[in-house]
């Protein structure tokens, strides 16, 4: 699903393209339309999931839709546990908010620095990103009022609790107008957090994004050393000799995805390719058949795979390695979900061998290496 289907305006779509956000991450696909629809959100997601943009974009959209007010008030309050996060989240608001015709003024406030310069910058601020302690100081100094808040975001709420901000959070929440939208994000759910949920959220939409690193233990990883020209036969050998029910195969380019799928079809293996150059209808058809189990093999580029929501896959094959270890982890994280173990197989050419070692080192896990060149591939 592209960003253009999520209800964002052309201005924000342009900002996304400028930032090279080509496909929404899963949390963004779910959260953006729900937030625009006025729902409260409970997002169980880590940094890296794209959670920041999942609330920044619809919030900016809502401000755009609301038009400008003559006398500006703080309308959005984002509470974060640390100074670094305050700056980071504020930067994302600035990046996307800077594209709007009427730029929205946003400010990060946090402890450990002079409160006076923050006070001087509060004029006309509509979005305030704050750590709880400094926010309460500003309130008690009457530098700000929370009476016009429309949306509250609690980002990394679990970390705020761990850092002992529970009382401050409660105090801030008690000062907010009752009628508001609440967006709560946390990496985990604890008892303390549940009590905050109950007091803050109204019938929230719960969005859970799997933490991919955690799944790595459930994934058996193999690397087949193989010459580039034998990758095709080896792939067919693996698909035919191992009892693979369904597999997602990754390639590095659109062209290669098409070529691999075509070759498989020519060899009697049902495969679809899915990538950014396919029509929307073509993508949906491929996904539909794959999800319904009617097609055994889906060949995808990284870009498409980001937006694909397939609950569980027994096998992932890297026909080519991705450039970044992060993408490798993302790819193989498509398998090994919950209690079901999965297998990730990488076809590694001599040119890729060094890179594969780096990926394993970064990941802190080793793949079992197999000499693919020693396998008799005649007839495959
Ligand atoms: P977060 O989980 O919000 O800290 O985001 C993690 C990283 O992913 C940040 O560097 C974002 O800029 C980036 N990011 C978020 N959403 C997307 C997207 N749809 N496409 C590409 N990069 C993204």
């Amino acid at each position: 699903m592209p960003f253009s289907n999520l209800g964002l305006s052309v201005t924000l779509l342009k900002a996304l393209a400028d930032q090279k956000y080509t496909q929404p991450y899963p949390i963004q696909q779910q959260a953006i339309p729900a937030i625009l629809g006025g729902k409260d959100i409970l997002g169980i997601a880590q940094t890296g999931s794209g959670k920041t943009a999942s609330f920044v974009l619809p919030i900016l959209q809502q401000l755009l839709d609301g038009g400008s007010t003559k006398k500006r008030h703080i309308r959005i309050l984002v509470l974060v546990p640390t100074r670094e996060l305050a700056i980071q989240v504020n930067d994302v608001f600035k990046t996307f908010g800077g594209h709007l015709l009427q730029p929205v003024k946003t400010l990060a406030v946090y402890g450990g620095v002079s409160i006076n310069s923050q006070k001087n910058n509060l004029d006309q601020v509509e979005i305030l990103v704050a750590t709880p302690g400094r926010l309460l100081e500003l309130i008690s100094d009457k530098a700000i009022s929370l009476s016009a808040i429309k949306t509250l975001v609690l980002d990394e709420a679990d970390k705020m609790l761990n850092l002992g901000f529970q009382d401050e959070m409660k105090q801030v929440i008690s000062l907010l107008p009752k009628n508001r939208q609440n967006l709560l994000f946390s990496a985990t759910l604890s008892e303390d957090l549940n009590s905050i949920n109950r007091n803050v959220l109204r019938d929230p939409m719960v969005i859970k994004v799997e933490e991919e690193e955690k799944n790595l233990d459930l994934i058996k990883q193999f690397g087949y050393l193989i010459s580039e020209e034998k990758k095709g036969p080896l792939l067919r050998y693996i698909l035919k000799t191992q009892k693979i029910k369904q597999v997602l195969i990754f390639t590095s380019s659109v062209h290669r995805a098409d070529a691999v799928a075509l070759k498989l079809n020519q060899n009697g293996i049902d495969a679809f390719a899915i990538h950014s150059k396919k029509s929307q209808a073509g993508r949906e058809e491929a996904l539909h058949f794959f999800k319904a189990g009617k097609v055994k093999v889906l060949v995808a580029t990284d870009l498409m795979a980001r937006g694909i929501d397939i609950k569980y896959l027994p096998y992932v094959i890297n026909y080519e390695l991705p450039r970044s270890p992060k993408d490798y982890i993302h790819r193989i994280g498509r398998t090994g979900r919950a209690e079901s173990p999965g297998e990730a197989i990488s076809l590694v050419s001599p040119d890729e061998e060094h890179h594969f070692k780096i990926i394993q080192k970064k990941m802190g896990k080793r793949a079992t290496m197999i000499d693919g060149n020693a396998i008799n591939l005649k007839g495959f």
Side-chain angles (χ1 to χ4, degrees):
M1 185 194 286
F3 272 114
S4 54
N5 280 10
L6 300 181
L8 298 170
S9 67
V10 174
T11 325
L12 285 173
L13 293 178
K14 168 132 195 349
L16 282 161
D18 286 350
Q19 292 305 309
K20 310 250 174 322
Y21 282 28
T22 45
Q23 288 287 329
Y25 288 174
I27 190 161
Q28 295 160 357
Q29 285 188 20
Q30 296 185 63
I32 293 173
I35 295 173
L36 288 176
K39 288 273 316 166
D40 278 11
I41 297 284
L42 171 57
I44 308 299
Q46 302 254 338
T47 297
S49 60
K51 67 184 162 66
T52 317
S54 82
F55 63 82
V56 165
L57 292 164
I59 284 175
L60 289 172
Q61 183 66 50
Q62 284 169 329
L63 288 177
L64 262 176
D65 294 343
S68 69
T69 45
K70 274 215 175 79
K71 190 176 176 306
R72 291 189 174 183
H73 288 287
I74 299 171
R75 292 199 267 168
I76 312 294
L77 176 64
V78 185
L79 280 187
V80 295
T82 64
R83 168 189 181 155
E84 290 70 28
L85 195 63
I87 295 170
Q88 196 178 300
V89 170
N90 193 45
D91 280 347
V92 180
F93 272 114
K94 279 203 278 195
T95 302
F96 289 110
H99 284 75
L100 307 185
L101 279 179
Q102 271 193 323
V104 180
K105 189 165 171 201
T106 88
L107 184 70
V109 293
Y110 40 80
V113 293
S114 148
I115 196 168
N116 287 329
S117 63
Q118 292 177 348
K119 281 183 188 168
N120 293 337
N121 277 322
L122 276 166
D123 190 34
Q124 306 233 311
V125 165
E126 284 181 279
I127 300 172
L128 189 70
V129 186
T131 52
R134 177 52 55 96
L135 180 69
L136 286 169
E137 276 180 86
L138 288 165
I139 294 170
S140 82
D141 288 359
K142 304 221 168 358
I144 51 171
S145 150
L146 302 183
S147 62
I149 296 287
K150 292 258 179 281
T151 308
L152 168 71
V153 182
L154 299 177
D155 194 13
E156 304 209 356
D158 50 343
K159 217 182 217 175
M160 275 196 271
L161 292 175
N162 289 345
L163 291 172
F165 283 132
Q166 181 145 16
D167 291 343
E168 277 104 329
M169 279 163 82
K170 282 195 177 143
Q171 213 178 323
V172 171
I173 289 162
S174 73
L175 296 171
L176 296 171
K178 293 261 168 317
N179 192 10
R180 54 166 206 269
Q181 190 174 13
N182 302 288
L183 315 174
L184 192 152
F185 293 86
S186 171
T188 52
L189 271 180
S190 64
E191 251 323 294
D192 285 341
L193 200 68
N194 271 331
S195 91
I196 293 193
N197 298 349
R198 277 194 295 275
N199 292 322
V200 174
L201 299 174
R202 297 159 311 171
D203 184 26
M205 173 173 174
V206 180
I207 302 173
K208 204 163 178 213
V209 179
E210 304 268 349
E211 187 198 348
E212 269 136 37
E213 277 85 342
K214 269 203 185 143
N215 293 331
L216 292 184
D217 284 340
L218 292 168
I219 304 169
K220 285 191 215 140
Q221 297 186 50
F222 296 94
Y224 282 80
L225 295 172
I226 188 79
S227 62
E228 191 61 48
E229 61 279 10
K230 282 200 195 150
K231 278 191 175 180
L234 177 62
L235 176 66
R236 296 191 285 277
Y237 167 87
I238 293 170
L239 292 180
K240 286 185 172 165
T241 55
Q242 299 198 19
K243 290 190 185 86
I244 294 184
K245 267 210 209 124
Q246 253 200 337
V247 59
L248 182 59
I249 299 177
F250 285 97
T251 63
S252 298
S253 69
V254 165
H255 170 73
R256 187 56 63 82
D258 279 336
V260 169
L262 179 69
K263 250 317 209 232
L264 289 174
N265 284 321
Q266 286 170 348
N267 282 275
I269 298 167
D270 273 347
F272 265 92
I274 188 164
H275 52 66
S276 55
K277 294 273 166 3
K278 287 245 157 176
S279 68
Q280 188 59 32
R283 290 182 206 172
E284 280 170 19
E285 186 189 42
L287 251 187
H288 174 75
F289 282 127
F290 190 67
K291 281 188 178 180
K294 291 189 181 141
V295 167
K296 181 168 149 178
V297 182
L298 192 64
V299 190
T301 53
D302 281 301
L303 218 62
M304 266 326 287
R306 284 268 175 211
I308 297 176
D309 175 30
I310 299 165
K311 290 276 170 293
Y312 166 71
L313 271 171
Y315 281 89
V316 167
I317 296 182
N318 294 311
Y319 191 86
E320 292 156 314
L321 291 176
R323 244 172 280 148
S324 81
K326 212 173 146 193
D327 279 339
Y328 177 88
I329 292 170
H330 184 81
R331 284 182 180 185
I332 71 167
R334 295 313 177 109
T335 184
R337 292 265 148 110
E339 297 80 36
S340 348
E343 249 179 62
I345 297 169
S346 298
L347 310 190
V348 184
S349 70
D351 283 351
E352 293 171 310
E353 226 181 309
H354 179 64
H355 186 47
F356 194 47
K357 282 192 182 131
I358 293 174
I359 288 176
Q360 293 175 73
K361 204 165 164 202
K362 285 255 164 69
M363 174 175 56
K365 293 246 176 300
R366 296 185 73 119
T368 306
M369 297 307 293
I370 296 164
D371 183 4
N373 293 304
I375 299 172
N376 182 1
L377 295 175
K378 259 212 178 115
F380 287 99

